[in-house]
Amino acid sequence: MAPWTHMSVWQTGDAYPCCIYHWDMPVDNINRSGLKGAWNSKKMRELRLRMLANEPSEGCAKCINYDKQGIISYRHKFNTEYNHHYDLVETTSDDGSVDKMNLPYFDVRFSNLCNMKCRSCGPHFSSKWAEDVVGKPEVVEINHQDMWDEIEEVLPTIEEIYFTGGESLFMPQHYRLLDMLIERGLKPRLTYNSNATRLSLKGKHIKDYWQHFDKIFYCVSLDQIERKAEYTRAGQTWDTVFTNLCWIRDNFEHSYEKGVVIQPNPTISVLNVTDLRHIINYLFDNNIPTDYDINLSNLLVGPEWLSCTILPEHYKQRAKENLLLLKQDVDQRDMYPQRKQFLHDGIDNIINFMYSNDDTHLIPQFRKEMQKLDLKRGENFLKVFPELKDLYV
């Protein structure tokens, strides 16, 4: 359903049918073509026709791979959540074009402005990360003169907005878009992928904005806790993140019908797979997730040298043992049976993914990249992750 209900636009202006489409295969660039031009670009039209003919596309490799492993894919998400727009599929012309630009799922990443430089990220998505590449922060922003006019046209079709970046709560465009919605009395679901390091910008606080919306899904990028969190996502202060999450927890209603849902969204990688039991129990004990809701499906596939598939057998065995103990911990919690099953399935998927490949040949690259960043940032992997020293020395 994605090419009929969605377009993911990156900070560079590159447009994709969804956010996990192969990053070097954009269907167009809105800096050149605008939203309308990208909607019926040659590549977008070709993709629709291939999907209608049940022919796989190279750009969809991640979903195809996830489906084969039994992991819930974005394809499943779109087909489940947006099948009520199937009538638009039937309006597809012979050349693959669709006259009505319909964006119920809105994902325009206005810039890469960010105050952190996470190990699994890079300058594409973080202005701060550029310090390690070119020596100073570099902000990349969408630049099309008609962008806001085009956004205004599709506002009534929007059912969900996905805010990410960079860090969306750091961006003036985020607040501008919310202002537009509030002025028109529109209340789409707001979904965030946020680092939780700040809740305001130049006197604009999220509480003054979020009170106008019924459903807010706050996914927080939370790979680690305490000292390991500050290393894994450089630029964060753990006490600030924890305090902000507690403030959201204590100042909003929390239900799936109304209010704010907090969902930790760890990127599963070398840097946390052996610690997940400790991390998740810590979050549960502090009532951070709403109804024990944690996404365990965000398995890192790039950069490949950070994937948990690079781990030697003894580390994989340690991770597996802890993950199986986590399943027992989950069973002791007072949560809905569906939630327990969701977490059990997520844990099984992590184990299956970890053992799906033997990528130990990438350990030298892991060592090289981590040591290079440590040198630039004045950090020390061994002091923070002494239990993983075999990967580093």
Side-chain angles (χ1 to χ4, degrees):
M1 288 301 299
W4 290 268
T5 59
H6 178 48
M7 190 161 50
S8 179
V9 182
W10 284 16
Q11 302 83 348
T12 57
D14 283 340
Y16 303 86
C18 80
C19 68
I20 65 168
Y21 199 76
H22 203 297
W23 67 271
D24 64 353
M25 300 176 68
V27 297
D28 208 337
N29 187 290
I30 75 161
N31 289 339
R32 177 180 62 248
S33 305
L35 287 170
K36 290 181 179 178
W39 178 251
N40 278 321
S41 68
K42 183 176 184 293
K43 291 181 179 180
M44 187 72 125
R45 288 184 280 115
E46 290 173 347
L47 176 64
R48 291 189 186 114
L49 293 177
R50 289 184 68 86
M51 286 190 169
L52 290 173
N54 199 29
E55 297 175 0
S57 297
E58 186 179 356
C60 298
K62 287 183 181 178
C63 277
I64 293 170
N65 187 37
Y66 275 8
D67 285 340
K68 287 179 179 178
Q69 297 185 53
I71 300 170
I72 296 175
S73 66
Y74 250 53
R75 183 190 69 83
H76 178 81
K77 167 188 168 65
F78 277 102
N79 288 350
T80 301
E81 297 185 12
Y82 296 101
N83 60 7
H84 57 287
H85 289 281
Y86 191 78
D87 58 320
L88 281 173
V89 177
E90 297 175 336
T91 70
T92 308
S93 300
D94 291 343
D95 67 350
S97 62
V98 176
D99 289 341
K100 181 182 178 182
M101 184 168 69
N102 183 60
L103 298 177
Y105 185 64
F106 186 86
D107 174 13
V108 176
R109 306 170 186 208
F110 297 108
S111 84
N112 70 338
L113 187 63
C114 191
N115 56 341
M116 287 168 48
K117 43 185 180 181
C118 308
R119 290 272 168 159
S120 59
C121 193
H124 277 94
F125 300 110
S126 168
S127 56
K128 185 77 171 173
W129 229 100
E131 289 180 339
D132 296 328
V133 180
V134 296
K136 62 179 182 179
E138 282 194 342
V139 178
V140 179
E141 292 185 322
I142 293 174
N143 181 24
H144 187 267
Q145 60 181 3
D146 297 326
M147 179 184 71
W148 288 103
D149 291 334
E150 291 187 319
I151 288 175
E152 186 169 16
E153 286 185 39
V154 300
L155 281 182
T157 74
I158 296 175
E159 299 170 14
E160 178 179 359
I161 299 178
Y162 178 54
F163 285 112
T164 186
E167 170 53 42
S168 52
L169 296 180
F170 208 55
M171 299 178 193
Q173 297 97 326
H174 159 257
Y175 299 93
R176 179 175 177 176
L177 181 54
L178 293 189
D179 281 331
M180 292 171 68
L181 293 167
I182 293 169
E183 289 168 5
R184 291 158 180 78
L186 299 172
K187 297 185 177 185
R189 167 173 150 168
L190 307 182
T191 298
Y192 288 83
N193 190 343
S194 173
N195 61 35
T197 57
R198 64 186 304 160
L199 304 178
S200 64
L201 178 70
K202 297 179 179 178
K204 298 176 182 288
H205 197 280
I206 59 166
K207 188 170 186 179
D208 300 325
Y209 283 83
W210 286 3
Q211 63 182 334
H212 294 280
F213 299 89
D214 294 332
K215 295 182 182 180
I216 296 160
F217 200 65
Y218 190 70
C219 302
V220 56
S221 300
L222 204 65
D223 297 349
Q224 271 285 1
I225 59 174
E226 300 173 331
R227 186 185 184 190
K228 288 183 176 180
E230 295 178 346
Y231 179 92
T232 304
R233 294 186 174 270
Q236 103 171 210
T237 301
W238 172 251
D239 287 345
T240 299
V241 170
F242 184 74
T243 298
N244 286 343
L245 290 173
C246 291
W247 184 90
I248 294 173
R249 179 197 66 198
D250 296 339
N251 283 273
F252 291 97
E253 180 181 346
H254 306 292
S255 75
Y256 289 90
E257 290 73 36
K258 187 175 177 60
V260 181
V261 169
I262 302 175
Q263 184 196 65
N265 186 31
T267 300
I268 311 299
S269 74
V270 169
L271 300 179
N272 60 12
V273 70
T274 58
D275 293 328
L276 278 177
R277 183 190 183 201
H278 174 62
I279 296 166
I280 291 171
N281 280 318
Y282 176 95
L283 296 174
F284 285 166
D285 290 342
N286 286 280
N287 298 315
I288 294 301
T290 301
D291 292 334
Y292 298 102
D293 190 356
I294 292 183
N295 177 25
L296 296 180
S297 297
N298 188 18
L299 298 162
L300 181 143
V301 293
E304 292 180 343
W305 51 268
L306 263 181
S307 170
C308 56
T309 57
I310 78 163
L311 290 171
E313 174 59 31
H314 64 288
Y315 282 129
K316 287 184 177 180
Q317 183 61 31
R318 180 191 305 174
K320 179 180 178 180
E321 290 171 358
N322 284 331
L323 287 165
L324 292 176
L325 288 172
L326 176 59
K327 291 177 76 170
Q328 297 180 25
D329 298 338
V330 166
D331 286 337
Q332 299 303 311
R333 300 278 180 174
D334 184 18
M335 65 179 79
Y336 296 115
Q338 298 91 333
R339 176 72 66 218
K340 287 186 180 182
Q341 189 61 51
F342 177 74
L343 292 171
H344 274 240
D345 290 345
I347 292 167
D348 288 340
N349 285 337
I350 293 170
I351 294 171
N352 292 337
F353 177 78
M354 182 171 62
Y355 281 99
S356 64
N357 282 305
D358 177 3
D359 291 326
T360 49
H361 65 281
L362 293 174
I363 291 176
Q365 188 178 359
F366 171 88
R367 184 179 300 122
K368 174 185 174 183
E369 298 294 340
M370 296 295 281
Q371 290 179 356
K372 181 171 65 175
L373 285 176
D374 276 355
L375 184 62
K376 287 185 176 181
R377 298 178 180 182
E379 297 176 339
N380 190 320
F381 176 81
L382 289 178
K383 287 185 177 180
V384 185
F385 292 89
E387 71 277 13
L388 298 178
K389 63 180 180 181
D390 293 352
L391 302 179
Y392 194 80
V393 296

